[in-house]
Amino acid sequence: MATLSPISSVLLLLLLLLSSGSPTLGSAFATALDPSLMGINLGKEKLSHFRFYWHDVQSGPHPSSVTVVPPPSNASATFFGLTNMIDNPLTLRPDPGSELVGRAQGLYSSASQEEVSLLMIMNFAFVAGKYNGSGITVLGRNPVLQKVREMPVISGCGLFRFARGYAQATTHTFDRKTGNAVVEYNVYVLHY
C-alpha cells in the first residue's frame, strides 16, 4: 500500500474537514487559536507607563496639524465639525527641540455642540529605543477644558499587540493666537 507524504496527509485531512462541514473549519465564522501556532508568545502581561509631550503645531511653514474639514459657517463656539489631521511630534520634555520619541498620527474632530470636546483618533508611533516601530492606538473623547482628560488605549502593534489601557492628557501650554499646544501625556498600557 502506498504511503502519503506529510504534506499530502495534511491536505487530505484539511479537505475531509472542509467537506464534512466541521464547525472548526470552513463553515465557522471564528475559530479559537493557540497563539503559539502563530509564533506569538504571550508570556506574562506587564504594565508600562509612558510620559511624553505632544506638540500640536498649527502655525508656521511646517504645521504638524492641519484642518481638513473646517467648521460650518454657522459653527457654534465649540467649532463643532472641525477636523484636523495630525502628525505631531512626541518628545521627552515640553521643549519641541528635546529628544523625539515618536509621532502622534491620526486626527481629531470637534464632536460636541455644548463644550469644547474632541474625538481623538491617533496612533502613538514610537521611534526610540526598544519601542522603535511599535505603536499604541488611542480612541476617545477629550474635553479639552478639563485639567486632566482620560482616553482609552484600545490596541497596539509590535511590542504592544493585544494592548489595552488609558492615556491621561494635561495641557502644558496653549497659544490662543496660533492654536499651537503642548500637551503632557501619561499613558498606562497593559501588554505582553
Side-chain angles (χ1 to χ4, degrees):
M1 177 174 185
T3 60
L4 295 173
S5 71
I7 293 176
S8 298
S9 298
V10 169
L11 289 175
L12 182 60
L13 179 61
L14 195 59
L15 182 61
L16 287 171
L17 288 172
L18 288 172
S19 63
S20 70
S22 168
T24 59
L25 291 172
S27 65
F29 176 72
T31 304
L33 295 176
D34 177 356
S36 65
L37 294 176
M38 297 178 60
I40 298 171
N41 179 12
L42 294 180
K44 184 179 177 189
E45 193 172 37
K46 56 189 160 255
L47 174 64
S48 295
H49 170 236
F50 298 89
R51 187 179 112 197
F52 46 78
Y53 291 85
W54 181 89
H55 298 266
D56 194 54
V57 180
Q58 297 184 21
S59 65
H62 302 290
S64 65
S65 176
V66 295
T67 299
V68 293
V69 178
S73 58
N74 63 345
S76 66
T78 67
F79 300 103
F80 180 68
L82 172 83
T83 303
N84 274 33
M85 186 66 66
I86 62 170
D87 185 11
N88 290 348
L90 303 174
T91 63
L92 277 182
R93 290 180 301 286
D95 172 19
S98 70
E99 182 183 348
L100 182 74
V101 295
R103 308 217 44 109
Q105 298 172 328
L107 59 93
Y108 60 80
S109 185
S110 180
S112 175
Q113 295 181 38
E114 286 83 34
E115 65 177 324
V116 180
S117 183
L118 303 175
L119 167 64
M120 308 290 291
I121 305 169
M122 59 186 165
N123 290 309
F124 293 144
F126 296 112
V127 298
K130 76 176 190 176
Y131 300 108
N132 183 20
S134 296
I136 295 170
T137 303
V138 173
L139 178 119
R141 181 176 178 271
N142 181 354
V144 297
L145 297 179
Q146 291 183 8
K147 181 172 174 47
V148 179
R149 291 89 65 191
E150 186 173 298
M151 294 162 277
V153 169
I154 62 165
S155 191
C157 61
L159 293 177
F160 300 109
R161 288 182 186 152
F162 304 109
R164 65 191 191 285
Y166 66 97
Q168 290 181 323
T170 307
T171 302
H172 184 269
T173 58
F174 176 70
D175 185 329
R176 290 183 189 274
K177 187 176 177 182
T178 64
N180 296 347
V182 177
V183 178
E184 178 183 343
Y185 271 84
N186 281 280
V187 183
Y188 300 87
V189 182
L190 284 166
H191 61 101
Y192 293 97

